[in-house]
Amino acid sequence: MNNHIRRELEKIEIPDELHSRARLGVEKAKAEFNERSQTTVKKNKRSPGRSQNTKKHLYKRLSIIAAALLLIASTLTFTPVIAAIQEVYDKIFSSKHIDDSGVRNAVISGDGQILDQTYIDERHDITVHFDRVLTDDKETKLLLTYQSETTDLKDYYIDLFEGVSSINIIVGSEKRKLKNVGWGSRYYDSKENKVVSALSFESLKDYKGKNIRLEIDQLTIYKDSGRDSVETTWPLEFTIKPVAVSERKTIELNKTFTYKRETYTVTRVEFSKLETRVVVTGSDTGILTDDNGMEYDVMSKLERQFLNARKTSKEYGYGVNEKKSGVFIKSEGKKVEPIFSKGEVEGENDEYIMTFAPIKKQKDCILEVGDAVDIPLNKSGKVIQKKVEDEKSEMEALLAENGYTLVPLSKEEEEEMNQYLETFPKELSINRKAIGKLKGHENSKILDVSISERSGVISHAEASTAEEAEKIREENGWSFIPIYLNQY
């Protein structure tokens, strides 16, 4: 038994990246075990004159001592090694490579349930390690890595949002597909050929205390040639412990403000260890219906402002462009950044949801929408409307973003434009108004610019006569905002 324990101790390898205290812990365990096992053998050598009953008694005692030593060796050896290995995983998931600040904060705080399970996908030579799970009443985060020595994993994704991948839950004889929440977070380490992934899907809170089985079906491959898939199933079985479940605090609000001539209302704010959600309804956040009865979603002006500060990095995923204005929460005088990887989280039909990093001190939070308005995220604070934009200034800013420069109309041009507006009335509800002329287009007699107030998309057509401009409008189905009329 002693030799067996010694052999098991010698088998333990200490990765170079582990913390020094883990290395010392293992070495100390080996040394203490060798010292104690030698002492035990000396003390328990049988003298030649002892009886058979004594011999059995000594054998039993030796077995107990060996078991105790095994327990001591396990305590001294495996505990620091497991802790140090966990520290390596924690460093991965708390790094900027994971573009979900909620995950990073949770790992740093030690929240969630440690899984520490490994599955070997022998067919594809992929080793999967399930690290941690966190859930509340709206969302579950499953943290895992997968690595291979032979299969290039650069283009291998667990894409629950747009890919063919799915995650299913099995409880007893019941199996169902879990809905995704946002895009999740992914980082590929080319040196180790390892993928670090934080999957985001619907809440598992109702399964607390139950044994469940999760199955990740199919990997999604993205290449220049198109999308493909890998047929595989990665299983995970565990009991959801209370430590995995966190609570969500919801504050019902009714804070109304205006932004770029649209009216919005913050209906509620939700605080959890994974995120801060701000739920908004507005005059341009609902479902639109065209003349044929077709329903479609549009991007509201508030959403465009929220995404304005988003930047994309191949190394770090979604981040914040500090040079651009956006929508942020300010808490304790510091900016709370959005979690852009949770874009397109769906609410009710008329709701728009913005997601930010978790906030510990929640009483004095303020939602800042550009430089236009501050909305306190509590019941007592009043909305501060710092700026109200008119149509001209808004359109001027939108044109500038797209590389156009607006210059004033002459008096004669204003008169001709007004005549044009009367002759060719608008087809849609968009407000058509002559607000100036575009620099660099002086050779056109008429330049009609169509700017979608919902998406911010700009298109334009140039014509030498008003009739030609009208023909272009009819052929393309556009409703234009005339910018200028120039006779020269």
Side-chain angles (χ1 to χ4, degrees):
M1 179 67 75
N2 291 340
N3 290 333
H4 173 72
I5 298 171
R6 185 179 293 106
R7 286 196 299 272
E8 292 302 315
L9 285 168
E10 294 300 331
K11 286 181 184 178
I12 297 174
E13 297 180 0
I14 313 172
D16 293 336
E17 67 267 24
L18 295 189
H19 197 283
S20 58
R21 70 170 181 267
R23 184 180 300 277
L24 291 174
V26 177
E27 297 300 340
K28 182 179 178 183
K30 292 179 180 179
E32 290 190 8
F33 172 75
N34 288 329
E35 181 181 347
R36 295 185 186 187
S37 60
Q38 290 171 7
T39 304
T40 304
V41 171
K42 289 179 182 179
K43 286 183 178 180
N44 291 283
K45 280 186 177 179
R46 182 173 59 87
S47 60
R50 292 193 176 183
S51 66
Q52 187 67 22
N53 288 336
T54 306
K55 184 176 182 180
K56 289 182 179 179
H57 177 72
L58 284 174
Y59 178 78
K60 184 177 181 182
R61 187 180 174 206
L62 279 171
S63 298
I64 293 173
I65 292 173
L69 282 172
L70 179 61
L71 181 61
I72 292 170
S74 297
T75 303
L76 291 171
T77 304
F78 295 113
T79 300
V81 170
I82 290 173
I85 291 174
Q86 188 59 47
E87 184 178 324
V88 172
Y89 282 105
D90 286 354
K91 285 182 178 178
I92 294 173
F93 287 105
S94 62
S95 72
K96 286 287 187 178
H97 292 297
I98 297 299
D99 57 1
D100 187 326
S101 51
V103 170
R104 298 199 303 267
N105 289 352
V107 171
I108 292 170
S109 301
D111 296 326
Q113 177 180 341
I114 302 298
L115 298 173
D116 192 25
Q117 291 190 34
T118 300
Y119 172 74
I120 308 297
D121 184 344
E122 295 181 353
R123 180 182 175 187
H124 304 99
D125 186 33
I126 301 176
T127 300
V128 187
H129 182 269
F130 297 99
D131 180 68
R132 187 186 303 245
V133 65
L134 311 97
T135 190
D136 61 17
D137 61 343
K138 291 288 179 69
E139 177 186 12
T140 298
K141 284 291 185 182
L142 178 61
L143 280 50
L144 69 146
T145 65
Y146 49 102
Q147 189 171 16
S148 177
E149 293 184 1
T150 59
T151 302
D152 186 358
L153 300 177
K154 179 182 178 181
D155 301 317
Y156 281 48
Y157 292 75
I158 306 174
D159 189 345
L160 306 178
F161 184 68
E162 294 177 315
V164 297
S165 309
S166 64
I167 185 164
N168 303 283
I169 183 170
I170 302 171
V171 181
S173 59
E174 177 192 358
K175 178 178 180 178
R176 68 178 181 88
K177 181 179 177 180
L178 296 170
K179 297 178 181 178
N180 73 286
V181 178
W183 300 314
S185 186
R186 178 188 187 271
Y187 164 62
Y188 174 66
D189 186 334
S190 58
K191 292 182 180 179
E192 296 190 22
N193 190 35
K194 177 191 290 185
V195 177
V196 182
S197 184
L199 302 182
S200 182
F201 49 90
E202 66 180 270
S203 172
L204 296 177
K205 183 179 179 180
D206 291 342
Y207 296 96
K208 183 172 66 172
K210 296 181 180 180
N211 184 59
I212 66 170
R213 177 183 173 92
L214 299 180
E215 290 182 349
I216 298 172
D217 289 340
Q218 296 194 73
L219 301 179
T220 305
I221 300 179
Y222 289 109
K223 291 186 177 181
D224 294 338
S225 57
R227 190 179 74 178
D228 203 349
S229 64
V230 174
E231 297 293 332
T232 189
T233 298
W234 293 348
L236 167 66
E237 289 192 29
F238 65 102
T239 299
I240 299 182
K241 298 178 181 179
V243 70
V245 182
S246 62
E247 298 300 320
R248 180 178 291 256
K249 178 182 178 182
T250 300
I251 300 176
E252 300 293 338
L253 299 174
N254 186 27
K255 300 288 182 75
T256 299
F257 64 96
T258 61
Y259 179 69
K260 291 189 174 181
R261 296 177 296 114
E262 301 287 351
T263 302
Y264 300 95
T265 299
V266 178
T267 60
R268 67 182 183 273
V269 58
E270 303 170 0
F271 299 100
S272 82
K273 290 183 178 180
L274 291 175
E275 64 182 8
T276 303
R277 284 190 184 188
V278 179
V279 184
V280 179
T281 60
S283 52
D284 63 347
T285 61
I287 302 296
L288 295 185
T289 305
D290 62 18
D291 295 337
N292 298 319
M294 180 72 71
E295 293 185 346
Y296 55 96
D297 291 320
V298 294
M299 184 182 291
S300 67
K301 292 179 181 178
L302 182 62
E303 184 176 359
R304 285 184 51 231
Q305 178 64 18
F306 179 77
L307 297 177
N308 188 58
R310 186 179 71 180
K311 68 177 181 180
T312 305
S313 166
K314 191 174 182 180
E315 181 80 4
Y316 298 106
Y318 287 126
V320 176
N321 187 338
E322 300 293 345
K323 296 181 180 180
K324 289 190 174 183
S325 66
V327 179
F328 299 95
I329 292 178
K330 182 170 284 187
S331 175
E332 299 182 280
K334 297 180 180 179
K335 184 185 294 184
V336 179
E337 297 183 354
I339 303 178
F340 290 119
S341 63
K342 288 188 179 179
E344 300 189 29
V345 173
E346 294 184 0
E348 299 299 328
N349 288 342
D350 60 343
E351 287 182 344
Y352 173 54
I353 298 176
M354 296 178 286
T355 308
F356 301 84
I359 299 173
K360 291 184 178 180
K361 294 189 178 181
Q362 304 159 0
K363 291 184 178 180
D364 300 319
C365 297
I366 296 175
L367 184 71
E368 297 182 336
V369 182
D371 59 353
V373 59
D374 290 349
I375 307 102
L377 298 179
N378 54 54
K379 292 187 177 182
S380 59
K382 294 183 179 180
V383 174
I384 301 176
Q385 193 77 48
K386 298 185 291 186
K387 183 179 179 182
V388 178
E389 292 183 330
D390 57 19
E391 183 183 22
K392 182 177 180 180
S393 61
E394 180 189 342
M395 199 65 68
E396 188 171 2
L398 185 58
L399 289 167
E401 288 179 10
N402 288 269
Y404 294 96
T405 301
L406 194 67
V407 293
L409 292 172
S410 67
K411 186 175 181 180
E412 292 77 10
E413 288 170 338
E414 283 186 5
E415 292 177 355
E416 291 199 62
M417 182 56 72
N418 290 333
Q419 183 180 355
Y420 172 83
L421 292 174
E422 292 176 4
T423 305
F424 302 100
K426 61 184 179 181
E427 291 91 354
L428 302 179
S429 59
I430 192 169
N431 188 8
R432 300 168 70 232
K433 182 180 180 181
I435 59 173
K437 54 187 178 183
L438 294 181
K439 187 177 181 180
H441 293 269
E442 286 79 5
N443 294 328
S444 268
K445 185 176 183 182
I446 293 177
L447 176 65
D448 276 357
V449 177
S450 173
I451 303 178
S452 170
E453 293 194 0
R454 300 297 172 90
S455 65
V457 175
I458 288 183
S459 58
H460 72 271
E462 298 180 6
S464 58
T465 65
E467 288 75 15
E468 185 179 342
E470 172 66 9
K471 183 179 179 181
I472 294 173
R473 292 174 63 197
E474 291 178 351
E475 289 176 350
N476 292 276
W478 289 346
S479 180
F480 290 100
I481 300 174
I483 300 300
Y484 77 99
L485 174 67
N486 194 322
Q487 295 288 356
Y488 302 100

